[in-house]
Amino acid sequence: MAMSLPHQIGAISGGPLTVDADGGASVEAPSSSTVSAVWRSPVTTNLRVSVQKIGQESDRVSPSPPLSPIRGGGRMDLSVAAQALMSEGVMDKEYVVGGAAQDKEGGKGVPVYVMMPLDSVTWNHTVNRKKAMNASLQALKSAGVEGIMMDVWWGLVEGEKPGEYNWGGYSELLELAKKHGLKVQAVMSFHQCGGNVGDSCTIPLPKWAVEEIDKDPDLAYTDQWGRRNYEYLSLGCDTLPVLKGRTPIQCYSDFMRSFRDNFQHLLGDTIVEIQVGMGPAGELRYPSYPEQNGTWKFPGIGAFQCYDKYMISSLQAAAEAYGKPEWGQTGPTDAGQYNNWPEDTNFFKKEGGGWSSEYGEFFLSWYSQMLLNHGERILQSAKSVFENEGVKISVKVAGIHWHYGTRSHAPELTAGYYNTRFRDGYLPIAQMLARHGAIFNFTCIEMKDYEQPQDALCAPEKLVRQVALATQEANVPLAGENALPRYDENAHEQILRASALDVDGNSGEREMCAFTYLRMNPDLFQPDNWRKFVGFVKKMKEGKDGERCREEVEREAEHFVHVTRPLVQEAAVALMH
């Protein structure tokens, strides 16, 4: 039986829909997929673990040498009317250094991309619910969306045997995007899907990589209590041949090279950006706030992830070079637990906290520099693979806004961002990206300070402003994403303000180079949400110097939604025959 567009969209996530009398769709939330745990407890017995209750603090205070656990050795098919409505302002954008999105005719505006569902490609290497996906892409293009972002999962493509790649489902999905005239941001997803905010399915690392971690658990990020995290390989083994004779960096490079070779005909035309995954959730960070099994809950400070033997070995070398070999035994032992707050701990407390001591500065400098070096290695690899291919390289950085108002910024420190009240931790990241001509992609763009719990001193707006200033100083393009699904106009207006990059009233012509909207799902296509989204896309394309007033743009969006809705549904029904 033929299905209308809302029904096809609903099919994407398996959520049942009911059609209103006016033809609109309401969506029942689909049941959450069971997410498998990615923490695995160590089976070794030579690891002494001292677990404290939340709120309690160890007796040891930094900077005295902390005690360590003992370790052993085509175009869209809409009617002419729909095309005419969208003809104004629909132009190809290209990124330019400095963060402005410049179209070919010299106008401004921020192109909007939409993230695809995490399970857009199946384990059978086909497009998931292809007919619904086709109708959805057609709808997005009709709304003026520039393109889509898709996760290209390492665990799917190279899942069975090292060096054997199956690009089947991605070939289909990319051809669909090309058919509808949508550009693509392809994410090289070297992390596990499952265990983070919004993860609706589970896609582990390649089977053969997991086997190697099982043999050598120190290939996984490890906290001070011995918990292993299988989301992403520890950066401590980046350059060691621990994966069937290859280093992790070589594996990432080979994967990207195979992607390039298979989709060379689409690079620079359909595929315009490669976002290189560098950690959990594809972000350049440590897995310091894992949600699986309730290990961490917002707004806990998280925990340092440097206790695998490879990280400890590097720490020991750094401590010896610094002249304090006793500091290389382990990371801080007085930094609390995942769900503590800064003032619960000796290390993060504002007065006399270990973070501001000589030891704290040594450790945090090493910990954050290890992350920067990891990013540098992968960027060098990505640049060598995609150089002269007509695509931009981007890196995603997490928007860790809770406890931002404290002196120590504890959650940022445990994630690897050495950002405190007295030190800018985002400028070094921006400068590293600038050296490679990469884009700084940042999250939490949609959030306002007052919407967040103030007892946790959350300040997403101030954080976004700091990042905007850092990218401005480093002369690196800034792109944005919303951290959580939002369909309300308040969030849209906040994104519009943030994307204008009016920091200190001196942004000039600078705007975000792109914005990626999270995420395509049934809720987005509900009539009221869709109407607001179409208006939002139009306003973003107008740019901050748009001559038309907001009311005019909103009226045009309303008219567009009204006129094209039955046409889009008709086109979707036709796809079923």
Side-chain angles (χ1 to χ4, degrees):
M1 183 179 71
M3 298 167 66
S4 66
L5 176 64
H7 284 90
Q8 293 197 54
I9 302 304
I12 287 178
S13 70
L17 290 91
T18 57
V19 180
D20 301 329
D22 64 352
S26 58
V27 184
E28 297 175 26
S31 58
S32 301
S33 302
T34 301
V35 178
S36 64
V38 292
W39 283 111
R40 304 199 181 180
S41 300
V43 294
T44 52
T45 57
N46 66 335
L47 179 65
R48 290 211 304 264
V49 179
S50 175
V51 179
Q52 305 154 222
K53 293 182 180 179
I54 300 294
Q56 293 182 344
E57 179 59 78
S58 66
D59 293 334
R60 182 162 300 279
V61 179
S62 295
S64 56
L67 294 177
S68 171
I70 297 175
R71 298 180 181 278
R75 299 287 173 183
M76 61 182 178
D77 241 349
L78 298 180
S79 72
V80 176
Q83 292 177 359
L85 280 168
M86 289 309 299
S87 62
E88 216 177 298
V90 179
M91 293 173 282
D92 290 337
K93 308 282 182 182
E94 58 179 334
Y95 304 144
V96 296
V97 175
Q102 193 82 18
D103 62 52
K104 294 177 180 177
E105 297 182 10
K108 296 182 178 60
V110 180
V112 175
Y113 290 74
V114 175
M115 292 187 205
M116 292 292 95
L118 294 167
D119 61 350
S120 293
V121 172
T122 71
W123 286 101
N124 294 322
H125 304 288
T126 60
V127 173
N128 202 3
R129 303 176 185 89
K130 186 173 181 178
K131 291 179 180 178
M133 179 68 74
N134 192 46
S136 304
L137 297 184
Q138 189 172 28
L140 292 179
K141 179 62 178 179
S142 75
V145 166
E146 185 80 5
I148 59 175
M149 174 180 278
M150 64 175 68
D151 285 283
V152 182
W153 296 106
W154 186 27
L156 272 181
V157 175
E158 197 184 358
E160 292 302 316
K161 294 182 180 179
E164 292 187 9
Y165 308 94
N166 190 326
W167 299 105
Y170 291 104
S171 296
E172 284 187 80
L173 189 51
L174 286 164
E175 287 301 325
L176 274 179
K178 179 181 178 181
K179 181 180 80 170
H180 292 295
L182 290 165
K183 299 186 185 302
V184 173
Q185 299 167 319
V187 184
M188 304 291 101
S189 296
F190 299 119
H191 60 286
Q192 169 177 291
C193 179
N196 281 296
V197 177
D199 285 353
S200 57
C201 62
T202 299
I203 303 172
L205 299 184
K207 179 182 177 182
W208 50 272
V210 173
E211 289 173 355
E212 293 303 310
I213 301 174
D214 288 339
K215 293 177 190 174
D216 181 4
D218 283 292
L219 298 179
Y221 281 119
T222 308
D223 66 16
Q224 74 179 77
W225 304 281
R227 293 187 185 91
R228 309 287 191 179
N229 188 305
Y230 276 49
E231 287 183 77
Y232 187 85
L233 289 163
S234 169
L235 62 81
C237 62
D238 269 356
T239 59
L240 302 175
V242 294
L243 296 177
K244 311 286 187 185
R246 291 187 296 167
T247 70
I249 296 296
Q250 286 174 328
C251 290
Y252 305 149
S253 182
D254 290 346
F255 182 89
M256 291 188 286
R257 189 174 296 107
S258 179
F259 179 88
R260 178 201 66 191
D261 293 346
N262 275 270
F263 301 113
Q264 192 130 28
H265 61 292
L266 298 175
L267 293 175
D269 180 17
T270 297
I271 303 170
V272 296
E273 180 180 326
I274 303 294
Q275 186 172 110
V276 189
M278 296 187 172
E283 297 168 333
L284 176 64
R285 65 174 175 87
Y286 294 98
S288 56
Y289 50 98
E291 286 197 298
Q292 59 273 18
N293 294 336
T295 302
W296 171 88
K297 293 181 180 178
F298 177 83
I301 59 175
F304 292 114
Q305 306 290 313
C306 59
Y307 298 85
D308 64 79
K309 68 182 181 184
Y310 302 107
M311 292 291 284
I312 291 296
S313 176
S314 171
L315 179 59
Q316 288 172 341
E320 289 175 7
Y322 189 78
K324 297 279 189 178
E326 65 273 19
W327 287 356
Q329 297 175 25
T330 185
T333 58
D334 59 349
Q337 300 191 52
Y338 286 97
N339 294 311
N340 280 131
W341 286 33
E343 289 305 306
D344 297 335
T345 75
N346 285 327
F347 190 79
F348 293 119
K349 65 184 182 181
K350 63 182 180 182
E351 296 290 348
W355 64 276
S356 60
S357 68
E358 183 187 0
Y359 165 76
E361 290 176 2
F362 158 76
F363 172 78
L364 293 170
S365 294
W366 166 81
Y367 188 68
S368 60
Q369 189 61 49
M370 288 289 282
L371 188 66
L372 286 170
N373 292 347
H374 172 67
E376 191 103 44
R377 283 189 288 268
I378 298 181
L379 270 181
Q380 287 172 344
S381 176
K383 189 175 179 181
S384 68
V385 170
F386 293 107
E387 199 163 22
N388 301 319
E389 296 293 348
V391 296
K392 292 292 181 178
I393 306 294
S394 70
V395 174
K396 186 176 177 181
V397 178
I400 303 175
H401 58 84
W402 52 103
H403 300 296
Y404 183 85
T406 63
R407 293 184 188 178
S408 63
H409 292 231
E412 293 164 85
L413 298 184
T414 57
Y417 306 153
Y418 192 178
N419 191 55
T420 71
R421 184 170 295 180
F422 313 110
R423 189 181 190 280
D424 187 345
Y426 298 100
L427 183 58
I429 297 173
Q431 291 170 331
M432 184 265 288
L433 299 182
R435 285 195 293 274
H436 298 279
I439 295 166
F440 192 124
N441 186 287
F442 197 62
T443 61
C444 81
I445 303 300
E446 84 284 9
M447 294 181 177
K448 295 182 180 179
D449 291 353
Y450 76 82
E451 295 173 338
Q452 308 300 320
Q454 290 308 295
D455 55 345
L457 298 179
C458 301
E461 291 178 89
K462 295 181 181 65
L463 174 58
V464 169
R465 178 180 175 276
Q466 181 186 352
V467 168
L469 287 169
T471 56
Q472 180 173 283
E473 182 174 342
N475 196 30
V476 63
L478 177 62
E481 295 180 5
N482 50 313
L484 300 172
R486 291 284 293 270
Y487 309 99
D488 58 291
E489 289 171 338
N490 283 337
H492 293 165
E493 288 298 322
Q494 181 62 22
I495 294 168
L496 283 160
R497 278 193 292 270
S499 65
L501 298 182
D502 284 323
V503 290
D504 293 339
N506 186 31
S507 67
E509 296 184 354
R510 191 169 183 255
E511 294 179 275
M512 282 188 180
C513 62
F515 178 81
T516 305
Y517 185 89
L518 182 153
R519 171 181 315 272
M520 190 179 86
N521 60 23
D523 289 337
L524 176 61
F525 291 96
Q526 288 189 34
D528 194 46
N529 291 344
W530 182 246
R531 175 185 59 80
K532 293 173 183 174
F533 176 74
V534 170
F536 163 71
V537 172
K538 280 189 163 291
K539 292 173 190 175
M540 290 287 280
K541 293 173 77 68
E542 281 284 305
K544 62 182 177 182
D545 296 325
E547 297 179 358
R548 296 187 298 164
C549 66
R550 289 288 169 85
E551 290 76 12
E552 183 181 351
V553 174
E554 288 171 359
R555 283 196 302 271
E556 182 182 298
E558 290 273 7
H559 185 48
F560 170 78
V561 170
H562 175 74
V563 170
T564 61
R565 185 172 169 191
L567 297 173
V568 174
Q569 288 183 340
E570 182 181 347
V573 169
L575 290 168
M576 299 299 295
H577 293 295

